Amino acid sequence: MKVAGNSISTPIHKMKKHKIILSLCLVLAVLSISYLPCLKNDFINWDDQQYVTENKLIMEWSGGNIETIFNSFYMGHYHPLTLLSYSLEYRFFKLNPLIYHLTNLILHLMNGLLVFLFIFLLRGEVLTSLMVSLLFGIHPLHVESVAWISERKDVLYSFFFLGSMVVYLKYLKTKGGKYYFLSLILFFLSLLSKSMAATLSVVLFLCDYLLHRKFDRKCLIEKIPFLAMAFIFGIIALFAQESSGMTGPKSSLSFFKNIFIFCEVLGSYFSKLILPIKLSCLYPSVKGIEGPWSYVYLPVIVGFLITGIVLIILGKYKNVTFGIFFFFATTLPVLPIKIVADRYTYIPSIGLFFIAAEGFSWLYRSRTERIKIIKIIAATLLIGILGTFSYLTWGRCQVWRDSLSLWDDVLKKYPNTPIAYNNRGEAYLRKGDYERAIANYNQALRMDPDYKRANYFYVNRGTAYLMKGDYERAIADYHQALKIKPNDANAYHHRGTAYLYKGDPERAIADFNKALEINSRNAETYFNKALACEKTGDLKEALESYKGFIENVPPQYAAHINYAKKRIRELSR
């Protein structure tokens, strides 16, 4: 009997293994095809300058720079591994956008495979695992995380996040200590990529719950290192936001108003995961009780939570409970931000996709004749959904082709968005189309002249006038920008440049000095100040300014560096 048992079980085991391999290949193929347009995309003017194209921190591969990356905050975040990945790419490929997009795509492909392995280790079913990984991989809501180079932190932290969960489940099945420590290391790497990874410590408890693991002292003790790291990086994230002023003033909204806003944000994610229409890289502000959708989303979200709690109490349908609380737990860190953004659904969506896949798998396994027709309808619907999502993802990738196509898309769907007009104006400015740039800046200012970022609108419009040669209007806009934000180094720098071009080097130097008091690392300010000092005959100050320029300029500006070195030699004689 023993021999017979082996002869039967081996082919079954091999058949399941073949299904897994075929499923993984299918995931890779479908995801690769859906996201193929990303590889033709360029950098965009939505954080790509700060993170890559103008980021001096990533442009010099040295021990000092790497130390700085790990010892400092950047743009209100602490994500050294993300910056390190950019630095590696820049070292070997400079500013070739194909490489940066390819890295994001590869990480997303790996994440799709890890989602498959994670669900398979949880449920042991190929069909459920395949469904979740395909829905995760090709959903158009995830295009932002993949097609946006600056959102590298999302796909990178998710890679380590999912890897940590996969290895943790391996630890539960084998009781091998090496898997536990590997899971801990991967969690640490995930936190170094993005602080949102802290939610993993909660997800591990959910995995224990779904696997019917007893919640005892051992279960709690093994989570303590995860909880401790999550707490530490949570504190670091708060310090990072405070260091950049991202926390803003304390909210004056009431408790119930905040609840309505949170429900509207969650409800928006829920609805877009089911029906991904009018997707955008920028959405209108959430209004809470003022918005009619708040009254729809509140009972839906509360109903989901109550359902999950009731199911826990009854001890039934743990798969549904797991999916509900996975979604809520992994979304929780971004709720205080009170904005809707596609990228925030990247990991949380797995919870809702899991519930949908479990429902379909239940139908597929059912042997009842009455629901055979339902199974056919469900299978047809699933194929249609996957095909539609893949098509929408292909088109959404093309929206991220360049800055103009991105902001055209936003304004087509949400025309009352001043930031989009400002950013589209900047895109036209970079193309040398000053008239269209000015028209977009005008529209942004007309829509919201008292907006907190209006000083940027004035600075940008002033720059368009400056590039056009209309120095008087440029200076007037910089004056207006400084009325709104008196300590704006950028406005002082550009107004100084306008004075320099106008032929007033004394005023130019005064503005450049003020700009350098606020930001002493702006290489362009040093360079322009040096030119102004030469015009006034202050050659000593010009020499020091050229030196300041060389110390702060990114290495990509070789021609300007050579010119500065030449002038230093000439002025030092």
Side-chain angles (χ1 to χ4, degrees):
M1 294 297 293
K2 187 176 180 180
V3 174
N6 284 340
S7 65
I8 294 173
S9 63
T10 301
I12 293 176
H13 175 73
K14 286 183 176 179
M15 187 170 66
K16 200 165 193 178
K17 187 176 181 181
H18 291 157
K19 284 184 178 180
I20 293 172
I21 294 172
L22 287 173
S23 297
L24 294 176
C25 291
L26 180 61
V27 170
L28 282 175
V30 173
L31 269 62
S32 298
I33 294 170
S34 300
Y35 282 89
L36 202 58
C38 287
L39 300 181
K40 296 181 180 180
N41 291 357
D42 202 349
F43 294 104
I44 59 168
N45 64 340
W46 189 236
D47 289 350
D48 281 0
Q49 306 103 304
Q50 290 88 340
Y51 274 107
V52 182
T53 60
E54 298 174 8
N55 185 4
K56 184 188 174 185
L57 194 59
I58 72 165
M59 293 179 178
E60 182 182 337
W61 184 264
S62 65
N65 253 26
I66 294 173
E67 184 179 349
T68 302
I69 286 174
F70 277 89
N71 290 341
S72 59
F73 304 134
Y74 192 77
M75 290 187 68
H77 299 283
Y78 181 68
H79 39 44
L81 279 190
T82 303
L83 294 174
L84 194 62
S85 70
Y86 293 139
S87 189
L88 275 169
E89 287 164 313
Y90 184 84
R91 185 185 184 192
F92 294 106
F93 305 101
K94 301 306 177 189
L95 293 177
N96 181 356
L98 170 64
I99 301 303
Y100 297 85
H101 284 296
L102 182 61
T103 302
N104 276 20
L105 179 55
I106 290 172
L107 284 169
H108 182 61
L109 294 177
M110 294 301 101
N111 290 341
L113 298 182
L114 287 171
V115 168
F116 180 95
L117 294 174
F118 169 60
I119 301 300
F120 184 77
L121 288 171
L122 269 180
R123 304 299 289 159
E125 295 181 3
V126 174
L127 181 59
T128 301
S129 307
L130 179 61
M131 272 192 63
V132 177
S133 59
L134 284 176
L135 287 170
F136 168 84
I138 65 172
H139 200 286
L141 206 60
H142 293 169
V143 171
E144 179 171 294
S145 296
V146 184
W148 189 10
I149 291 174
S150 295
E151 201 49 35
R152 167 72 54 78
K153 50 187 175 289
D154 222 24
V155 288
L156 186 61
Y157 106 81
S158 298
F159 175 72
F160 294 118
F161 186 101
L162 294 165
S164 180
M165 290 195 300
V166 167
V167 176
Y168 176 78
L169 293 177
K170 191 72 175 173
Y171 156 71
L172 292 184
K173 292 182 182 296
T174 64
K175 302 301 178 183
K178 61 182 180 181
Y179 292 115
Y180 173 80
F181 288 108
L182 180 57
S183 178
L184 204 58
I185 291 169
L186 290 171
F187 178 46
F188 179 64
L189 294 175
S190 186
L191 288 166
L192 288 175
S193 305
K194 189 176 183 180
S195 58
M196 196 170 170
T199 57
L200 177 73
S201 54
V202 178
V203 172
L204 297 184
F205 282 108
L206 292 175
C207 293
D208 292 342
Y209 165 78
L210 187 61
L211 293 172
H212 305 280
R213 193 180 180 204
K214 186 179 179 182
F215 183 71
D216 53 16
R217 183 181 177 185
K218 180 179 182 296
C219 179
L220 181 60
I221 289 175
E222 70 186 16
K223 303 298 188 306
I224 290 177
F226 291 93
L227 292 168
M229 282 200 290
F231 177 77
I232 291 169
F233 275 85
I235 298 298
I236 291 173
L238 290 176
F239 277 116
Q241 291 180 0
E242 288 180 2
S243 70
S244 67
M246 290 179 65
T247 51
K250 190 174 181 180
S251 175
S252 58
L253 299 178
S254 68
F255 173 77
F256 290 105
K257 176 91 173 186
N258 279 315
I259 292 297
F260 269 92
I261 290 176
F262 293 161
C263 287
E264 187 165 341
V265 172
L266 283 169
S268 179
Y269 292 147
F270 182 76
S271 62
K272 288 181 186 300
L273 283 166
I274 296 175
L275 194 63
I277 58 175
K278 292 191 74 174
L279 301 185
S280 173
C281 73
L282 197 62
Y283 293 99
S285 299
V286 178
K287 299 297 184 183
I289 295 176
E290 298 173 15
W293 280 107
S294 298
Y295 295 100
V296 177
Y297 288 139
L298 180 62
V300 171
I301 299 303
V302 172
F304 258 95
L305 284 170
I306 292 174
T307 300
I309 293 169
V310 169
L311 291 177
I312 287 177
I313 295 172
L314 297 177
K316 292 183 177 181
Y317 306 112
K318 289 193 171 187
N319 49 0
V320 177
T321 308
F322 171 86
I324 290 173
F325 283 100
F326 186 104
F327 173 73
F328 282 112
T330 52
T331 309
L332 196 60
V334 298
L335 288 183
I337 302 175
K338 300 175 185 175
I339 63 170
V340 175
D342 294 355
R343 59 190 177 275
Y344 295 149
T345 67
Y346 194 71
I347 286 292
S349 63
I350 296 172
L352 298 185
F353 294 153
F354 177 74
I355 295 174
E358 284 284 87
F360 181 84
S361 295
W362 175 80
L363 278 175
Y364 182 79
R365 291 192 305 269
S366 177
R367 303 299 178 189
T368 308
E369 283 292 326
R370 284 184 301 173
I371 66 169
K372 185 177 289 186
I373 185 66
I374 299 178
K375 289 165 67 173
I376 295 172
I377 294 172
T380 305
L381 183 64
L382 175 63
I383 294 171
I385 290 172
L386 291 174
T388 302
F389 283 177
S390 183
Y391 173 77
L392 291 175
T393 293
W394 176 282
R396 189 83 194 133
C397 287
Q398 294 176 318
V399 166
W400 287 82
R401 181 178 65 253
D402 55 35
S403 299
L404 281 177
S405 61
L406 182 66
W407 301 116
D408 282 344
D409 176 74
V410 174
L411 292 169
K412 179 181 178 181
K413 297 167 181 173
Y414 305 101
N416 298 318
T417 312
I419 298 177
Y421 280 107
N422 175 76
N423 292 358
R424 188 169 71 175
E426 183 184 338
Y428 280 123
L429 182 64
R430 287 176 177 268
K431 286 182 173 290
D433 192 340
Y434 305 130
E435 294 299 333
R436 287 187 178 180
I438 291 169
N440 275 270
Y441 295 138
N442 288 341
Q443 183 65 19
L445 287 165
R446 275 196 297 270
M447 291 177 63
D448 204 345
D450 300 319
Y451 182 64
K452 63 182 179 180
R453 293 195 187 186
N455 71 298
Y456 296 121
F457 301 166
Y458 280 112
V459 169
N460 290 340
R461 189 175 71 176
T463 303
Y465 283 128
L466 177 64
M467 300 298 289
K468 191 180 175 185
D470 192 341
Y471 304 130
E472 291 295 340
R473 286 187 177 180
I475 291 170
D477 272 350
Y478 298 138
H479 281 322
Q480 194 64 35
L482 288 167
K483 285 182 181 178
I484 299 170
K485 187 178 179 183
N487 63 338
D488 188 348
N490 200 33
Y492 278 113
H493 163 79
H494 283 91
R495 191 173 70 175
T497 303
Y499 279 131
L500 176 62
Y501 288 173
K502 186 185 174 185
D504 192 346
E506 287 83 6
R507 285 187 177 180
I509 292 170
D511 275 352
F512 291 142
N513 285 336
K514 188 68 178 177
L516 290 170
E517 284 179 18
I518 301 168
N519 177 17
S520 62
R521 299 187 63 84
N522 190 327
E524 193 177 350
T525 304
Y526 282 109
F527 189 85
N528 288 357
K529 181 185 173 183
L531 296 177
C533 287
E534 285 199 61
K535 287 183 178 295
T536 61
D538 190 349
L539 302 184
K540 182 179 178 181
E541 190 63 27
L543 180 65
E544 292 302 315
S545 295
Y546 278 127
K547 289 178 180 178
F549 167 75
I550 292 174
E551 289 173 2
N552 291 281
V553 71
Q556 69 193 83
Y557 296 103
H560 289 83
I561 293 171
N562 291 335
Y563 176 82
K565 288 179 177 178
K566 177 185 175 183
R567 293 301 296 151
I568 289 173
R569 288 194 299 269
E570 292 172 350
L571 294 173
S572 299
R573 290 173 184 172

